[in-house]
Amino acid sequence: MTDPYTPQSATVECVRLHDPASGLDGYIALHETDLGPAAGGCRFWSYADGEDAKADAVRLARGMTYKNALAGLPFSGGKAVLRRPDKDFDRTALFEAFGRAVAQLDGRYVTAEDVGTSVADMQVVASMSRHVAGLPPEAGCAGGDPSPWTAQGVFESMQVAATTVLGRDLVGVTVAVQGVGNVGADLCRRLHGAGARLVIADTDAARCFALAKQLGASVVGVDQIASVLADVFAPCALGGALDLEVARNLKGKLICGAANNQLASPDVAAVLLERGIVYLPDYVVNAGGIINVSAEYLGEDAGHVGQRVAAIAPRVAALIERAVAEGRSPAHVADEMAEQVIANAREMQPA
């Protein structure tokens, strides 16, 4: 089965971040659309070199545009990627320098937490710029750590997809979870509460075994998690988890996880389709976090967040239905849906 598809191209602006005094080194990528200011979190990670960091920023920014589009948010896609210094550094000074860089963009980019950053880091950024979210919530307003909302959207997406794809609810379903950080661990707790069996893996062995003890999960090595006998594979670590080898060796019929940019290359979607494995695009199911960030930045309350997050699972159900009817990969169908939203927004712009 083939699914010919060519994604739309877009211009990405990369802002170089370099402040030797604080150790700040990285990029802010702004994915050019007409949806609004760029919004997306700040990732703080150890990259081999600057080109790796830049490439990751560009990929993540594109994903954020599509995520924001399908979630109905008035933002385009952006991402900050900061290289973690390989020597001692002053974390406060580094994030102050990042905050100054965000401020210089004058609202073109709104930042928040991502992998490697926290509410405390965003509070430091907020001392330098008002264009930041993921801060402790004020009375009556959305805010705080967005990861629980991300986990909720992924969990509810998995629930509806299990019914459609596996023909059953999550009771007794085996889920292999790759990565049990903030979002992955929250997802595991929700799955355990729903009666699922868990197999988990994480590069942090202590964290992994502590969660396994709490939930009665099985633990395997990071290099084994994608090939264990499981009904569902949930990538919740870094991107690129789904390469051709993984796609050819997966045992389950459903992929639903919180990690961004899960497909290592575009041809992986075709292999999954050919094998009858339903891949739920990450930016569709993991939109809960940016929904919370958006509501906080716009001054909305948690009720608005809950309503928008509750719409993720029905959107997933409609996506699966359309993909099956057309005999196409959900990845390609979702891209087209997002691009249509972007095109409609562009047409609404004054000439």
Side-chain angles (χ1 to χ4, degrees):
M1 184 182 297
T2 60
D3 180 8
Y5 171 73
T6 302
Q8 299 291 323
S9 61
T11 302
V12 180
E13 177 186 350
C14 284
V15 178
R16 180 77 169 97
L17 307 175
H18 186 60
D19 181 56
S22 67
L24 177 68
D25 181 21
Y27 293 89
I28 296 174
L30 309 174
H31 192 258
E32 186 180 43
T33 76
D34 295 297
L35 295 174
C42 171
R43 178 163 296 193
F44 190 46
W45 197 251
S46 296
Y47 289 89
D49 54 44
E51 287 305 307
D52 279 354
K54 183 178 181 180
D56 202 23
V58 170
R59 287 191 295 265
L60 290 164
R62 175 187 179 275
M64 289 305 305
T65 292
Y66 284 35
K67 185 185 301 189
N68 293 337
L70 286 187
L73 303 178
F75 295 98
S76 62
K79 208 74 174 186
V81 166
L82 312 183
R83 297 180 66 193
R84 187 181 184 91
D86 56 8
K87 58 184 179 181
D88 291 342
F89 66 98
D90 184 331
R91 193 176 183 103
T92 298
L94 190 150
F95 279 95
E96 284 177 344
F98 172 61
R100 289 192 292 271
V102 172
Q104 288 174 2
L105 290 172
D106 197 25
R108 295 178 60 216
Y109 169 62
V110 180
T111 195
E113 295 94 331
D114 195 73
V115 175
T117 57
S118 66
V119 171
D121 294 325
M122 293 307 107
Q123 288 178 292
V124 175
V125 176
S127 70
M128 298 290 148
S129 173
R130 64 185 180 88
H131 303 295
V132 56
L135 303 171
E138 298 180 2
C141 295
D145 180 3
S147 62
W149 290 110
T150 303
Q152 180 176 326
V154 175
F155 172 70
E156 292 177 356
S157 297
M158 195 182 298
Q159 279 185 311
V160 72
T163 301
T164 304
V165 177
L166 305 178
R168 55 189 293 194
D169 59 24
L170 291 172
V171 176
V173 166
T174 300
V175 184
V177 182
Q178 180 189 55
V180 291
N182 289 341
V183 176
D186 191 320
L187 175 62
C188 285
R189 294 186 186 98
R190 294 172 191 266
L191 290 169
H192 175 72
R197 298 189 181 98
L198 295 169
V199 183
I200 64 177
D202 195 280
T203 54
D204 187 330
R207 178 171 63 191
C208 194
F209 279 102
L211 185 66
K213 184 177 180 180
Q214 180 186 10
L215 304 181
S218 300
V219 176
V220 299
V222 174
D223 59 343
Q224 299 173 292
I225 189 68
S227 59
V228 300
L229 187 61
D231 303 292
V232 184
F233 179 48
C236 295
L238 296 180
L242 299 171
D243 59 21
L244 288 173
E245 181 179 0
V246 168
R248 291 168 180 147
N249 289 287
L250 274 174
K251 305 295 192 298
K253 292 298 180 184
L254 175 63
I255 302 170
C256 177
N260 289 312
N261 293 338
Q262 293 171 19
L263 300 181
S265 59
D267 50 350
V268 173
V271 173
L272 294 172
L273 177 67
E274 204 169 281
R275 294 196 61 216
I277 299 172
V278 175
Y279 162 65
L280 301 184
D282 42 72
Y283 63 80
V284 180
V285 305
N286 70 7
I290 193 63
I291 287 171
N292 183 65
V293 165
S294 170
E296 177 186 350
Y297 190 71
L298 297 173
E300 298 175 340
D301 60 25
H304 288 90
V305 181
Q307 291 172 7
R308 292 194 185 106
V309 172
I312 294 175
R315 191 176 299 124
V316 166
L319 172 62
I320 295 172
E321 181 179 4
R322 177 177 162 182
V324 170
E326 297 178 2
R328 304 181 62 204
S329 166
H332 297 163
V333 174
D335 279 2
E336 288 185 353
M337 292 168 63
E339 286 158 6
Q340 186 60 56
V341 172
I342 296 165
N344 292 343
R346 189 172 292 120
E347 289 178 2
M348 296 294 290
Q349 298 297 315

